[in-house]
Amino acid sequence: MVEQKSGGSILFVASVSGHLVVYPQPQAAYGMSKAAVIHMTKSLAAEWAVHGIRVNCISPGYMDTILNHGPAMDQIKATWLSRTPMGRMGQPSELMGAVVMLCSPASSYITGADLVIDGEFSGCPSML
C-alpha cells in the first residue's frame, strides 16, 4: 500500500484476552500475544496514517466455535457464561458487521481503534 500510494485498510483480530486476564483456562501467552496485537494496531495506525492507511482491530469475546464444543468444555463454558451479561457466547457471524464497517469507506476517519465485541464480558467487573 505504501509503495503503490493507494492507501487502504488493515484489520487485525485480537481478543478480549488482550484486555484482561480470562479464567479459568491458563493462557498467559495467548493473552500477551493479543495485547501485543492491540498495541501494534495503535502503533501502525499512527505510523501509517500519513500514507492513507488505516489500521484497526477487533477483540472478540467468547465465540461459539468448534473449539469450544465437547463435554470437556462444559464447566469452562459455564464459567464464561456466568460472567457475560448477555448470558451467551457470540456467533462468528456477529463479527461480520464490524469487519465490513472497519474495512469500508464507512469508517474513513477511524484508525487505531480496537472494537471489543464480547457481550459486555470485559466491561462488567461485577461479573468477574
Side-chain angles (χ1 to χ4, degrees), residues 14-113:
S15 170
V16 69
S17 298
H19 292 270
L20 48 83
V21 175
V22 294
Y23 180 84
Q25 67 281 17
Q27 56 181 37
Y30 180 82
M32 288 184 292
S33 70
K34 293 305 184 172
V37 170
I38 295 165
H39 191 82
M40 179 176 63
T41 296
K42 295 177 178 300
S43 295
L44 291 177
E47 293 176 23
W48 292 350
V50 67
H51 300 292
I53 300 170
R54 297 181 302 104
V55 184
N56 295 294
C57 70
I58 60 171
S59 286
Y62 295 111
M63 304 305 288
D64 190 11
T65 69
I66 190 70
L67 297 175
N68 300 319
H69 291 187
M73 294 298 295
D74 289 347
Q75 186 57 45
I76 292 172
K77 286 191 326 189
T79 300
W80 297 343
L81 297 179
S82 74
R83 295 173 179 206
T84 304
M86 289 188 81
R88 66 177 179 86
M89 295 171 66
Q91 295 299 313
S93 62
E94 293 177 296
L95 302 174
M96 294 304 100
V99 168
V100 169
M101 191 262 309
L102 288 171
C103 292
S104 78
S107 62
S108 60
Y109 198 58
I110 300 174
T111 193

